Amino acid sequence: MEGVKQFDLAVTPLREVNRYLHHDVAASGVERVKILNADGAHSIAVGLNVPLDIEVDGHCGYYLGGMNQLARITVQGNAGPGVGENMMSGSIRVKGFASTAAGASAHGGLLAIQGDAALRCGISLKGGDIVVGGSVGSFSAFMAQAGRIVVCGDAGDGLGDSLYEAVIYVRGSVRSLGTDARFEPMQASDYEAVRELLDAAGFEHDPRDFKRVASAKSLYHWNVDANQEY
Amino acid sequence: MTHERTGSEGLSLEESAGYDRRTLDYIQRAAATGLYEIRGLGAKRKVASFDDLVFLGASLSRYPLEGYREKCSTKTVLGTRHARKPVELATPITIAGMSFGALSARVKESLGRAATALGTSTTTGDGGMTVEERSSSKTLVYQCLPSRYGFNPDDVRKADAIEIVIGQGAKPGGGGMLLGQKVNPRVARMRTLPPGVDQRSASRHPDWTGPDDLVIKINELREITDWEKPIYVKVGATRVNHDVKLAIHAGADVIVVDGMQGGTAATQTVFIEHVGIPTLAALRQAVQAIDDLEMRGKVQLIISGGIRSGADVAKALAMGADAVAIGQGVLMALGCNSGSYVADGRHVSAIEDYRRLGTAPGFCHHCHTGKCPVGVTTQDPQLEQRLDPAVGAKRLTNYLKTLNMELTTIARACGKQDVHHLEREDLVALTVEAAAMANIPLAGTNWVPGS
């Protein structure tokens, strides 16, 4: 099939596949790459910088799509820790579940997870968007600086601890908020944002069911009277 | 009422050793503010150091080289283990990681220009890579820190090596800190933070935990860079034996060990003075760890934390380091703690500005305030003008050149054609403490404490 290239990780070493995606694919006319037998391999399709559709068949190990730019990656299975870490642009869609630190320090792009995401989802987020169809584990959005996280299910303990300017929208229950995180009333722009992100991720929910969590900004400046024993 | 000490007061004005004036000041400051002190630079307490070692120059039993005629190589190659493009330097003296944010963009440019002139490398810091330092530096090491401020794949690809920072000698176990007065709009933008925020960065990496994960993280960075660039791992000196071995197991090409004398732009004083071990002790343990794994010559070691002179460099190399990294010495070469700065070719006094900070040249550690009187550790648009990048580059080039000449002077005196041939047998210790920490015999004896 023209414009489609297929790799089988049971046959081709990952290093070769990644090198092809970094260098050769750009001028090849290939628009879609299929990677078979992911079989839990780490660092699949990392460091891409080309607007390309990539489909990964199977479950992935750590750092799928790490530092992604422009590429649109879809994983048919589950994703290991740090999926889409430090992503800059493009999109990553996980059809299954995601492990810890999904979308860690992502600067841009969209990470859409159909199932649940484990601990520390969106940690140190720096501008990316994350939409989770299921629930997120504890300590999600820790120190998140910018960007948006939409959680269609529930959130665990310590949600949004030490948040900066990132905003979290949760549909279900929040077991507990982290230090300096607080619920805030939803504004028209929040409903719009949730609608836009749900549409982009392909999830159907009513934005009116979501709550907004953002920073109370009490940790932004040293405060002699602040309780430092948090 | 003030008491002038005349020396004849006897017990009526006897100072307490446990509650001396420094301790009283600390207690009273804590009582007044309810907050710990934050400051810049490194540990001020006296610890065993390279000053406590001396070289055994050649004599009848060893053959020296002619100081000015015979060749003595300083060439240094880092990252030979896995990287397709190791870093090749003309000298083992490198510039340590210091952030844009802690330092001005003009200072970063000076560092790059001087490093390039000397054929050595400079290193980014906890604030991303600036255009100024990339364009001025022939060889630039790009740090991957827990905060990941400004970390991005374009700069990863532009870097000559990547340094995963686990910790820093001034504060092993602590994250970065940059007070609001230094978070100007450009610094804030690069770090994705609101301008003016008192920034406290994370102490753990966001996407990996522990040595088994680090193996995978290093491999990811290798995959992203097609196995081209050396990967350094930097640790603050604490449990050096274990940390160095784990970093080697994780696949590092180069290990950077930063001792407790290493500097910082802003950290709690209690952290600077009470956490971490001296550089001398850390170096001995790091070398031992590399030898235990039979990785000498495969994995390179960079030592940092209080390296000031060519003698320090020579001693570090003799003890087994492949290179050193200098931070504070570099800033002092640019004018840190000098009474004046250079404007239009003239020296202008900065004494009054030091006074306003409550200090004086020779004592200043107010990097955290951003009000550096000589324009080095500042983001203030007026103050940063006090350091002309060309003047800074010239001064720093001179400093590094001096160190390199001192290094080869010692190496030649010890009969070495290559500074990397300096060896432990060339050294003896002047104090029992240094002998024990460095595992080097006390001068005039064959005695190594503990062996």
Side-chain angles (χ1 to χ4, degrees), chain B residues 78 94-98 121-126 140-146 148 151 156 159-168 205 208 214 218 221 229-235 252-258 302 304 325:
Chain B
L78 303 170
T94 69
I95 295 177
M98 292 178 280
S121 63
T122 183
T123 313
T124 65
D126 197 3
L140 182 60
V141 182
Y142 187 32
Q143 289 191 330
C144 173
L145 292 118
R148 304 286 164 87
F151 196 64
V156 166
D160 299 292
I162 297 162
E163 179 171 301
I164 299 177
V165 180
I166 319 275
Q168 177 180 346
H205 281 259
W208 64 270
L214 182 56
I218 287 177
L221 291 167
K229 301 173 201 303
I231 310 276
Y232 299 11
V233 171
K234 175 175 177 175
V235 294
D253 296 306
V254 176
I255 313 284
V256 184
V257 176
D258 192 22
I302 301 177
S304 60

Side-chain angles (χ1 to χ4, degrees), chain B residues 23-262:
Chain B
T23 307
L24 289 170
D25 185 55
Y26 154 75
I27 292 172
Q28 278 150 15
R29 190 187 178 281
T33 64
L35 204 58
Y36 41 55
E37 185 196 37
I38 293 169
R39 68 167 173 86
L41 299 184
K44 292 194 171 190
R45 64 156 77 210
K46 185 164 172 51
V47 293
S49 75
F50 291 119
D51 279 346
D52 303 317
L53 305 178
V54 288
F55 278 100
L56 303 175
S59 178
L60 199 53
S61 55
R62 298 272 179 115
Y63 196 71
L65 298 187
E66 286 293 345
Y68 298 98
R69 294 180 197 90
E70 288 180 288
K71 211 174 159 187
C72 179
S73 170
T74 56
K75 189 182 165 189
T76 300
V77 183
L78 303 170
T80 54
R81 186 183 182 191
H82 293 299
R84 286 196 289 122
K85 290 188 182 168
V87 164
E88 289 191 18
L89 305 174
T91 167
I93 306 165
T94 69
I95 295 177
M98 292 178 280
S99 77
F100 166 64
L103 309 182
S104 73
R106 294 162 73 89
V107 169
K108 291 299 273 181
E109 183 187 336
S110 300
L111 306 190
R113 284 161 75 159
T116 301
L118 261 291
T120 190
S121 63
T122 183
T123 313
T124 65
D126 197 3
M129 185 190 288
T130 63
V131 179
E132 288 90 339
E133 67 184 334
R134 177 61 280 187
S135 59
S136 62
S137 310
K138 178 174 172 282
T139 307
L140 182 60
V141 182
Y142 187 32
Q143 289 191 330
C144 173
L145 292 118
S147 72
R148 304 286 164 87
Y149 290 140
F151 196 64
N152 70 80
D154 293 325
D155 289 341
V156 166
R157 288 186 279 261
K158 281 183 212 153
D160 299 292
I162 297 162
E163 179 171 301
I164 299 177
V165 180
I166 319 275
Q168 177 180 346
K171 47 178 159 184
M177 188 181 268
L178 193 70
L179 299 188
Q181 52 268 38
K182 294 178 84 169
V183 184
N184 73 11
R186 183 178 176 198
V187 172
R189 205 166 48 247
M190 278 185 69
R191 299 182 185 217
T192 326
L193 288 169
V197 77
D198 286 330
Q199 168 250 297
R200 287 171 271 188
S201 51
S203 59
R204 299 194 298 255
H205 281 259
D207 57 349
W208 64 270
T209 312
D212 295 337
D213 275 7
L214 182 56
V215 177
I216 304 168
K217 185 69 198 173
I218 287 177
N219 267 305
E220 185 210 12
L221 291 167
R222 291 200 192 283
E223 283 295 327
I224 288 172
T225 57
D226 296 320
W227 292 71
E228 184 181 284
K229 301 173 201 303
I231 310 276
Y232 299 11
V233 171
K234 175 175 177 175
V235 294
T238 55
R239 296 174 181 84
V240 176
N241 175 44
H242 289 135
D243 290 343
V244 168
K245 284 178 179 167
L246 290 169
I248 291 173
H249 276 299
D253 296 306
V254 176
I255 313 284
V256 184
V257 176
D258 192 22
M260 75 175 287
Q261 298 103 305

